[in-house]
Amino acid sequence: MSDAKLQGVLSALSPVARQLNALPSNQPGRDANCVKLNTNENPFPLPMMVMQSALAALERHYLYPEDDNLSLRDAAANAYGLSQDQVIAGNGSSELLGLIYRAFLDPGDSVAMISPGFSFNRKLAMLQGARLLEIEWGESYSLPIEQLLLGPARDAKFILLANPNNPTGTFVPVDEIDRFVAQSDQLIVVDEAYVDFAPDDALRLVDRHSNLLILRTFSKGFAAAGIRVGFGFGHPELIERLRNLQNVFNMNVIGHAVGISILSHRADYHENHKYIKHERHRTTTALSQLGFSVIPSHTNFLLARVPPAQDGKWWQASLARQNVLVAVFPDSGLENYIRVSIGTRTQMDAFLSAARDIISGSMKTQS
Ligand SMILES: Cc1ncc(COP(=O)(O)O)c(C=O)c1O
């Protein structure tokens, strides 16, 4: 295609598609040997039984997957004490987030997110031509309930919060969420992507509130980010509205098999969760000794304020030169922070050793 033709084609892009060029990327270049601590994966093998279910599913490669994810939804309903019509299954929870945006937002509408929050929501709002109202967390990362009930979020079609939250790693007690959802007449979406590393979860609220949707994923707690399995739980009518918008065959046969198998082998992950929490504690202590200030985390990552003198981007670039990838954020107030996923002990040692090298290198240049 000649360039003139290409320019003609590109000029037909919708204003939204053009605007999306402006989104920052959180993923510096990647090589196979890098220590990848920038997207909060869980770098451990799947339990053997789960792996076997994936391999067995491959034999069904020529068949379309089951329609409407029936068996997977059934398995999730049984595992979590809900009915099948309270469950939607997605190709990762990000698919389900996207469905919620499509279901509720017209161009010009508003959606509110407690902020800083999961940055993908900015893209989703942009795709709908909607305004994302970012409402700051309250004191010590508590729910800003007054703001939400009486401030500009009143006009939002729905309100989102992640609990535990990304990127802060902080956790709001479930009772606080319960009280807030009870007082609100808006849809509240609680994204529990990191709940497997947290002290509590909000699933018991699903039967109590018809204005609540809970999202879960197997990407973080269950080491299946590449397989893409996510769930939404809520009132059957809400869930049905979302299912109506879903692509046919939105998941594949491997996702179905792995999802069902994980649901019946959840206990096999206890050691993994214990390990990650232990490494989280060890890394927090080590980083504090190096002059970082770490926000106590209830997730599989840490948000750490870097030592004075350099900012988060400088640290990200310096670590990348040592083949260690971490995330930084464009949000105002987060310029001096890096987010580090918790991986294996070897990965965390590599990260800490790179951090020590960087600090001693920068001390040499200062002296
Ligand atoms: C808060 C939050 N929600 C949802 C997701 C998306 O997860 P999934 O892999 O299920 O699409 C992420 C991934 O980083 C996340 O941090």
Side-chain angles (χ1 to χ4, degrees):
M1 195 185 275
S2 75
D3 272 4
K5 245 188 203 180
L6 176 65
Q7 290 317 313
V9 169
L10 292 177
S11 71
L13 280 170
S14 73
V16 166
R18 255 175 266 164
Q19 218 183 336
L20 285 172
N21 289 333
L23 280 181
S25 161
N26 218 351
Q27 305 226 11
R30 178 167 159 179
D31 92 38
N33 300 316
C34 67
V35 179
K36 191 174 178 312
L37 304 176
N38 61 338
T39 49
N40 305 336
E41 287 124 333
N42 184 336
F44 287 85
L46 292 169
M48 188 54 75
M49 299 294 282
V50 176
M51 196 59 147
Q52 279 169 0
S53 76
L55 296 174
L58 257 181
E59 289 177 15
R60 300 196 298 278
H61 60 88
Y62 61 96
L63 291 172
Y64 279 111
E66 187 178 42
D67 205 9
D68 204 19
N69 310 309
L70 276 175
S71 306
L72 178 61
R73 288 172 48 228
D74 219 22
N78 285 331
Y80 297 122
L82 298 168
S83 59
Q84 192 201 61
D85 59 2
Q86 291 175 295
V87 181
I88 183 170
N91 195 32
S93 59
S94 44
E95 186 211 349
L96 302 176
L97 263 176
L99 285 182
I100 298 168
Y101 276 76
R102 265 200 278 153
F104 288 96
L105 296 171
D106 276 325
D109 283 346
S110 305
V111 45
M113 172 178 79
I114 313 190
S115 179
F118 181 34
S119 58
F120 182 53
N121 287 290
R122 294 197 182 123
K123 177 172 181 170
L124 290 174
M126 228 185 248
L127 278 172
Q128 290 308 115
R131 219 153 66 91
L132 182 69
L133 306 170
E134 301 206 27
I135 312 294
E136 262 185 56
W137 287 96
E139 188 76 21
S140 310
Y141 298 101
S142 58
L143 273 188
I145 291 188
E146 280 215 355
Q147 277 273 355
L148 295 172
L149 292 174
L150 306 170
R154 278 294 317 143
D155 297 328
K157 289 291 182 77
F158 59 93
I159 297 173
L160 277 149
L161 66 125
N163 198 43
N165 186 45
N166 177 15
T168 57
T170 48
F171 180 76
V172 172
V174 172
D175 285 354
E176 228 175 280
I177 293 177
D178 190 16
R179 277 195 299 278
F180 168 54
V181 179
Q183 286 178 76
S184 176
D185 49 16
Q186 288 161 288
L187 171 64
I188 314 298
V189 180
V190 178
D191 179 348
E192 292 196 328
Y194 298 95
V195 79
D196 306 293
F197 309 104
D200 196 4
D201 70 77
L203 210 57
R204 61 185 176 277
L205 306 187
V206 167
D207 279 330
R208 289 230 279 277
H209 305 289
S210 51
N211 61 330
L212 173 68
L213 268 174
I214 290 185
L215 297 180
R216 292 276 182 95
T217 178
F218 281 173
S219 296
K220 317 293 181 183
F222 297 94
I227 314 270
R228 315 301 299 132
V229 182
F231 297 103
F233 306 115
H235 189 280
E237 208 161 314
L238 260 178
I239 292 294
E240 188 178 337
R241 296 287 174 179
L242 297 177
R243 278 171 41 226
N244 284 340
L245 290 179
Q246 232 166 358
N247 256 351
V248 280
F249 311 126
N250 64 312
M251 297 179 69
N252 62 56
V253 289
I254 299 174
H256 281 162
V258 167
I260 290 169
S261 185
I262 288 176
L263 284 163
S264 55
H265 294 95
R266 280 178 299 154
D268 294 0
Y269 284 87
H270 284 164
E271 281 307 309
N272 172 261
H273 298 162
K274 232 165 84 183
Y275 180 109
I276 287 171
K277 287 187 223 169
H278 175 81
E279 280 305 303
R280 180 174 80 191
H281 177 72
R282 187 177 77 89
T283 310
T284 301
T285 309
L287 278 179
S288 306
Q289 285 163 355
L290 288 175
F292 288 77
S293 166
V294 185
I295 299 177
S297 169
H298 295 91
T299 61
N300 65 338
F301 61 81
L302 299 173
L303 188 66
R305 192 184 174 90
V306 301
Q310 275 92 22
D311 65 8
K313 273 195 174 155
W314 183 89
W315 267 94
Q316 183 188 48
S318 305
L319 286 163
R321 279 195 288 278
Q322 303 218 29
N323 229 5
V324 177
L325 306 188
V326 299
V328 293
F329 301 91
D331 308 53
S332 110
L334 292 185
E335 299 84 353
N336 295 322
Y337 286 82
I338 55 172
R339 192 195 64 196
V340 186
S341 311
I342 303 295
T344 62
R345 190 177 181 96
T346 309
Q347 287 181 310
M348 301 326 288
D349 282 343
F351 160 66
L352 289 167
S353 151
R356 278 185 205 106
D357 279 0
I358 290 165
I359 287 174
S360 62
S362 77
M363 286 199 308
K364 271 186 212 137
T365 37
Q366 275 165 26
S367 61

